[in-house]
Amino acid sequence: MGKFGALLFNVFFTVFILALSFSCKAIDEDRKAYIVYMGALPDGVYTPSTHHFSILQSIIQDSSIAGSFIRSYKRSFNGFAAKLTDQERQKLASMKEIVSIFRSEIFQTQTTRSWDFMGLHEKIDRKPTAESDTIIGVIDTGIWPELESFSDEGFGPPPKKWKGACTGGTNFTCNNKIVRARYYLSFGSGYESARDLVGHGSHTASTAAGNNIKDVSFYGIAEGTARGGVPSSRIAAYKVCDPEGCYSHSILAAFDDAIADGVDIITVSLGSSGAHAFEVDPIAIGSFHAMAKGILTLNSAGNSGPSLQTVSSLAPWLMTVAASSIDRRIISKVSLANGTTIIGSSVNSFKLNETTFPLVHGRNGSTRCSELRARLCEEGFLDRCLVEGTIVLCDRVIGIKEAYRAGALGSISVDGTFSDVSFVSPLPAVTLNQTNYMAIISYLCSTEDPRATILQSETIKDIAAPVVVSFSSRGPNAITPDIMKPDITAPGVDILASYSPVVPPSDSFDDTRRVKYNIMSGTSMSCPHVAGAAAYVKTFHPDWSPSAIKSALMTTAFIMNDTDHPNKEFDHGSGHVNPTTAINPGLVYESSEVDYVAFLCSIGYDDVKVRRISGDNSTCPKSSEEGSSPRYLNYPSMTAQVPAGKPFMVRFPRRVTYVGDGNSTYTARILPKLKLHIKVTPSVFSFQSLGEEKSFDVIVKGKGLSDNSIVSTSLVWTDRFHNVRSPIVLHSLFST
Ligand SMILES: *[C@@H]1O[C@H](CO)[C@@H](O)[C@H](O)[C@H]1NC(C)=O
Ligand SMILES: *[C@@H]1O[C@H](CO)[C@@H](O)[C@H](O)[C@H]1NC(C)=O
Ligand SMILES: *[C@@H]1O[C@H](CO)[C@@H](O)[C@H](O)[C@H]1NC(C)=O
Ligand SMILES: *[C@@H]1O[C@H](CO)[C@@H](O)[C@H](O)[C@H]1NC(C)=O
Ligand SMILES: *[C@@H]1O[C@H](CO)[C@@H](O)[C@H](O)[C@H]1NC(C)=O
Ligand SMILES: *[C@@H]1O[C@H](CO)[C@@H](O)[C@H](O)[C@H]1NC(C)=O
Ligand SMILES: *[C@@H]1O[C@H](CO)[C@@H](O)[C@H](O)[C@H]1NC(C)=O
Ligand SMILES: *[C@@H]1O[C@H](CO)[C@@H](O)[C@H](O)[C@H]1NC(C)=O
């Protein structure tokens, strides 16, 4: 169930399908696209393109390099993309100027009420001038510039610092709201425009920084005001997806430009499946160089939950965002002809006027002989003459697609895992949990003429919200289990935001509806919420480092209503984003490039590699008596993987920077109390002036954790006005 269900939820289904149909184009059979990453740009006179060509020339024997070269990275870091044979790749790998070579792969892309729910109400305290000087870089599927969310009415010219030009291409004009647009074609040809032909990029950009638009809805559903987190900020849109896919080499090119253009925050609602080492992960590489230039990157955790260790955004300089529910849920009801009403999930805009229609189970809607496959409504298994004018029951969510293809009037399906999210479908449809689906099956068997109707969706108040949604990818971190991922959670379920008006709101190409606002779910939707929150914090503290902004958001995140859930930190990291508190965190945990280099050393990078990556003469710190560890990074959360059944003692050295004013005294508290022995030294600090730094150690001792277990508590530094909270998590998951 999981895999197929997840595919349907994947908001980038469209791109994925297109990618499959284009991939048979004959391009140099044995050459594949690679990224050759060469670290930071060297100081002094250097012409990257010339260097890249000469490297390429030296390893390509036959023909010209024109057929191989794809693009250079030369504005913010060094490297290039090229199509290479396996032999050529091996030759390159041995060159000393190269940090890593890796295949360019296809990344997948992974609201009105949501901002109120986060406490960022329309009338909160804002810094209008600073907000209007803030530019959010959105690396996505492009943008539809004529949408109301992106109108520049009331906007003056972009801030003077801005260096980006508008190169949106065909039929694309920037304005004072969208101050930059650029597109990257995977392999040199295609639609030469930054215009969004998918909908995802317009949705994420408007969630982060769209204008306030009153009275919008999806066919009357989820009616309210659509607005971004920082409605006065500007948007720079970098379109990295084309029908061939969202390739690593295009994503990296967008980082190269966004950093050099001078964006303030970067948001990337894209991810690949599985964990990648940092030097072969384009988002980790791009965001490292962004961090070095003072830019925080937000990245979606992924939609591969609820299994553990599924989060794919893992670098500590990134801020990784999980998805949770908001207090407004969208539901749909099935009304049976016997008078019973059953509740399920879907975003159903269709009105069936309460007329009932015959109910047919998939197994009775097929003349094919595999009953099992017909029950699931597998592709090609339903017969039009048996299902036309009926509501078809399918034993699997993906069956909705087949019901639609076969001309059914409606569809009812079951999903045991993902019943906490609603999706737009091209026909009246509803997805039920196991219990409710079985009730319909029992009704079906109890009568000669089973009939039902599906009602238009309505919204209900969800008192349990926020909870992390099933599809949100979970920790622990597969590369560095001692760095907590995800970092934070934000609204990502049933979010209404702007959409491309030329594509269907559902996954179906032949859905003829067109909308300017659509309801979508995913960590793709939660990521720009935190980008908006980070930009909001930055408007109050323009000089804060990326790690200070990240720390402020993490240490002020509120604890979720899921206290009985054993893996809670691996669901939501530090908790739920709380932007208004984050502007005044009291203390921050800061890490600079030097700290991240020490972190890279602690996981096995040598002097040569860290120098290439940092572009300076960094060396790995001489290892101290106890060696180095990723736990020593000054991270705003504290996590350690320990072997099961053995006594342990772990140390988390940390330092905090005072960002309040006047004298104040902070005391350390461990809340709630645990059986583990936790000592914080020193446990009281007095601060006199802004920017003052204090170091401390957290030492955790225990007799041993049981297999696959997790224990957690929090360290809270408090001066009675601020509570600076860091989760402390010890776990024996995936430890051998
Ligand atoms: C050009 O942009 C307009 C919106 O201003 C849009 O309606 C139209 O479809 C676009 N044309 C093409 C060829 O993409
Ligand atoms: C429901 O009623 C509306 C307006 O009366 C009509 O346009 C629509 O076709 C009807 N739908 C169905 C499924 O009968
Ligand atoms: C549906 O199919 C099942 C099994 O193939 C059969 O037992 C049942 O009678 C059929 N129901 C109808 C209404 O045709
Ligand atoms: C299914 O949803 C109903 C509410 O509509 C709830 O009472 C029931 O417990 C749920 N069952 C499962 C297995 O989640
Ligand atoms: C209608 O069918 C459902 C499902 O089988 C059942 O739970 C309910 O009691 C029935 N209602 C009536 C009024 O018979
Ligand atoms: C937590 O959720 C429960 C329902 O699951 C609800 O009754 C309770 O009010 C919630 N508590 C908070 C603090 O939101
Ligand atoms: C590193 O570079 C700086 C300035 O570029 C220089 O002052 C310093 O001595 C160098 N350190 C080493 C160890 O080479
Ligand atoms: C802050 O503390 C310092 C040293 O304890 C003291 O000299 C100073 O007067 C205090 N300032 C205020 C505003 O209380």
Side-chain angles (χ1 to χ4, degrees):
M1 170 73 56
K3 257 270 137 35
F4 244 116
L7 258 191
L8 182 68
F9 298 129
N10 189 328
V11 282
F12 258 49
F13 202 53
T14 323
V15 166
F16 187 68
I17 296 286
L18 284 171
L20 289 179
S21 55
F22 276 78
S23 61
C24 42
K25 216 164 30 177
I27 24 167
D28 241 326
E29 286 306 314
D30 49 350
R31 284 219 149 93
K32 308 219 158 53
Y34 284 92
I35 289 156
V36 181
Y37 172 53
M38 299 164 65
L41 283 165
D43 289 332
V45 183
Y46 175 69
T47 39
S49 306
T50 314
H51 189 206
H52 302 157
F53 275 118
S54 79
I55 290 177
L56 206 48
Q57 194 77 67
S58 72
I59 55 124
I60 290 183
Q61 303 117 348
D62 59 338
S63 68
S64 71
I65 59 169
S68 164
F69 179 77
I70 301 176
R71 68 168 72 249
S72 271
Y73 306 112
K74 54 190 180 187
R75 297 183 71 195
S76 305
F77 46 88
N78 198 10
F80 60 93
K83 286 185 229 137
L84 304 171
T85 64
D86 207 39
Q87 253 187 341
E88 289 159 358
R89 181 192 60 82
Q90 280 169 16
K91 273 194 224 165
L92 267 177
S94 62
M95 290 186 177
K96 64 174 187 343
E97 50 273 74
I98 283 156
V99 175
S100 56
I101 300 186
F102 54 102
R103 276 288 293 281
S104 184
E105 58 174 326
I106 295 177
F107 275 56
Q108 317 286 316
T109 43
Q110 304 205 337
T111 243
T112 54
R113 293 272 304 108
S114 51
W115 285 109
D116 284 332
F117 183 69
M118 282 165 50
L120 207 49
H121 301 283
E122 251 171 274
K123 295 199 174 60
I124 54 157
D125 187 17
R126 289 188 181 275
K127 302 263 184 218
T129 313
E131 200 168 305
S132 139
D133 284 349
T134 301
I135 295 158
I136 301 193
V138 184
I139 299 180
D140 211 301
T141 68
I143 197 163
W144 194 271
E146 292 82 13
L147 290 168
E148 296 149 299
S149 294
F150 310 126
S151 153
D152 69 352
E153 208 185 305
F155 281 80
K160 287 213 179 61
K161 65 171 185 186
W162 183 240
K163 296 196 271 297
C166 185
T167 47
T170 309
N171 196 17
F172 196 107
T173 314
C174 291
N175 59 27
N176 283 328
K177 174 84 184 177
I178 300 177
V179 295
R180 165 74 150 141
R182 211 190 144 161
Y183 60 92
Y184 306 88
L185 299 173
S186 304
F187 297 105
S189 61
Y191 178 46
E192 306 212 348
S193 173
R195 202 169 273 286
D196 177 12
L197 301 185
V198 177
H200 188 269
S202 301
H203 204 279
T204 58
S206 65
T207 300
N211 296 326
N212 282 351
I213 312 294
K214 284 201 170 24
D215 302 325
V216 300
S217 69
F218 178 75
Y219 295 99
I221 305 167
E223 195 161 15
T225 299
R227 88 188 132 87
V230 276
S232 303
S233 290
R234 327 277 180 145
I235 294 166
Y238 303 88
K239 176 178 171 181
V240 295
C241 303
D242 65 9
E244 305 202 31
C246 318
Y247 272 93
S248 313
H249 63 274
S250 300
I251 295 169
L252 210 45
F255 271 105
D256 194 29
D257 283 329
I259 298 165
D261 290 342
V263 301
D264 295 287
I265 301 283
I266 294 175
T267 180
V268 193
S269 287
L270 295 168
S272 64
S273 52
H276 291 58
F278 302 137
E279 85 267 26
V280 300
D281 174 349
I283 296 175
I285 293 171
S287 60
F288 181 90
H289 295 285
M291 170 277 296
K293 291 276 157 51
I295 306 162
L296 178 63
T297 302
L298 289 302
N299 187 205
S300 45
N303 296 352
S304 309
S307 301
L308 288 172
Q309 211 180 54
T310 43
V311 56
S312 57
S313 171
L314 303 173
W317 47 84
L318 273 171
M319 186 158 189
T320 304
V321 188
S324 44
S325 55
I326 54 174
D327 60 354
R328 189 255 293 124
R329 275 282 288 135
I330 297 172
I331 55 124
S332 299
K333 290 177 180 161
V334 179
S335 174
L336 304 179
N338 82 355
T340 298
T341 298
I342 291 173
I343 293 178
S345 303
S346 73
V347 181
N348 176 35
S349 72
F350 302 101
K351 290 192 173 111
L352 296 179
N353 306 340
E354 300 187 23
T355 314
T356 60
F357 298 91
L359 273 180
V360 172
H361 193 279
R363 69 177 182 205
N364 301 107
S366 181
T367 50
R368 306 276 295 267
C369 41
S370 170
E371 185 187 324
L372 175 68
R373 299 178 71 185
R375 298 179 75 99
L376 301 173
C377 305
E378 279 195 12
E379 195 176 343
F381 269 76
L382 296 181
D383 289 319
R384 181 170 287 265
C385 57
L386 294 174
V387 301
E388 209 161 31
T390 72
I391 295 175
V392 180
L393 294 165
C394 300
D395 291 358
R396 191 160 67 174
V397 179
I398 193 81
I400 294 173
K401 247 178 131 67
E402 172 62 5
Y404 182 58
R405 187 206 58 83
L409 186 130
S411 170
I412 297 172
S413 61
V414 59
D415 194 315
T417 311
F418 299 102
S419 49
D420 52 358
V421 57
S422 297
F423 291 93
V424 175
S425 31
L427 77 170
V430 55
T431 302
L432 306 178
N433 71 15
Q434 198 71 35
T435 318
N436 290 345
Y437 189 70
M438 288 323 289
I440 296 207
I441 297 286
S442 98
Y443 165 70
L444 191 70
C445 300
S446 73
T447 167
E448 290 283 289
D449 180 27
R451 301 177 72 88
T453 191
I454 299 173
L455 307 181
Q456 195 183 32
S457 291
E458 51 191 280
T459 55
I460 55 163
K461 189 161 175 69
D462 181 359
I463 54 161
V467 292
V468 173
V469 67
S470 50
F471 65 69
S472 186
S473 291
R474 268 45 177 200
N477 188 325
I479 301 279
T480 47
D482 290 353
I483 298 291
M484 171 61 69
K485 288 287 168 174
D487 291 306
I488 202 161
T489 190
V493 179
D494 303 347
I495 305 296
L496 181 76
S498 281
Y499 198 67
S500 174
V502 295
V503 287
S506 70
D507 287 342
S508 276
F509 295 118
D510 47 1
D511 180 346
T512 55
R513 290 172 298 172
R514 296 293 179 265
V515 294
K516 289 199 277 181
Y517 297 91
N518 195 11
I519 294 166
M520 298 173 90
S521 297
T523 52
S524 278
M525 280 65 241
S526 58
C527 180
H529 275 100
V530 182
Y536 177 70
V537 172
K538 190 157 180 162
T539 62
F540 285 81
H541 308 285
D543 56 341
W544 276 14
S545 69
S547 61
I549 295 173
K550 175 173 165 177
S551 172
L553 290 165
M554 283 170 70
T555 61
T556 59
F558 62 79
I559 303 174
M560 314 265 293
N561 188 2
D562 58 0
T563 38
D564 54 349
H565 190 322
N567 303 322
K568 55 188 193 290
E569 281 83 8
F570 291 129
D571 295 352
H572 64 224
S574 289
H576 193 282
V577 67
N578 187 2
T580 49
T581 317
I583 61 176
N584 186 11
L587 306 173
V588 292
Y589 292 80
E590 279 209 273
S591 299
S592 64
E593 189 178 340
V594 173
D595 298 305
Y596 293 120
V597 163
F599 161 82
L600 288 175
C601 297
S602 78
I603 60 167
Y605 288 66
D606 61 16
D607 283 354
V608 177
K609 246 183 192 173
V610 300
R611 273 185 210 163
R612 290 240 169 275
I613 294 170
S614 65
D616 56 24
N617 55 12
S618 299
T619 51
C620 284
K622 293 280 165 285
S623 53
S624 61
E625 224 167 89
E626 53 179 333
S628 63
S629 161
R631 297 201 280 266
Y632 301 170
L633 179 67
N634 197 36
Y635 212 66
S637 59
M638 296 159 208
T639 306
Q641 183 191 48
V642 295
K646 293 194 184 129
F648 59 86
M649 184 185 94
V650 295
R651 187 170 77 91
F652 301 99
R654 290 291 186 273
R655 58 175 197 275
V656 285
T657 309
Y658 182 55
V659 293
D661 51 8
N663 289 351
S664 71
T665 301
Y666 276 84
T667 310
R669 297 227 152 81
I670 302 293
L671 296 167
K673 290 266 178 275
L674 269 193
K675 289 216 185 82
L676 299 175
H677 179 81
I678 302 182
K679 193 156 192 258
V680 183
T681 38
S683 62
V684 179
F685 285 135
S686 298
F687 294 97
Q688 268 94 49
S689 55
L690 180 70
E692 220 175 311
E693 269 192 7
K694 304 275 188 195
S695 295
F696 62 95
D697 265 339
V698 177
I699 292 178
V700 187
K701 284 188 214 169
K703 294 207 175 87
L705 298 184
S706 47
D707 274 343
N708 287 314
S709 64
I710 156 168
V711 289
S712 65
T713 183
S714 295
L715 164 64
V716 182
W717 284 104
T718 179
D719 67 348
R720 289 180 300 125
F721 307 106
H722 303 88
N723 292 306
V724 189
R725 192 176 62 85
S726 294
I728 302 176
V729 178
L730 280 96
H731 70 96
S732 60
L733 304 172
F734 305 96
S735 73
T736 45

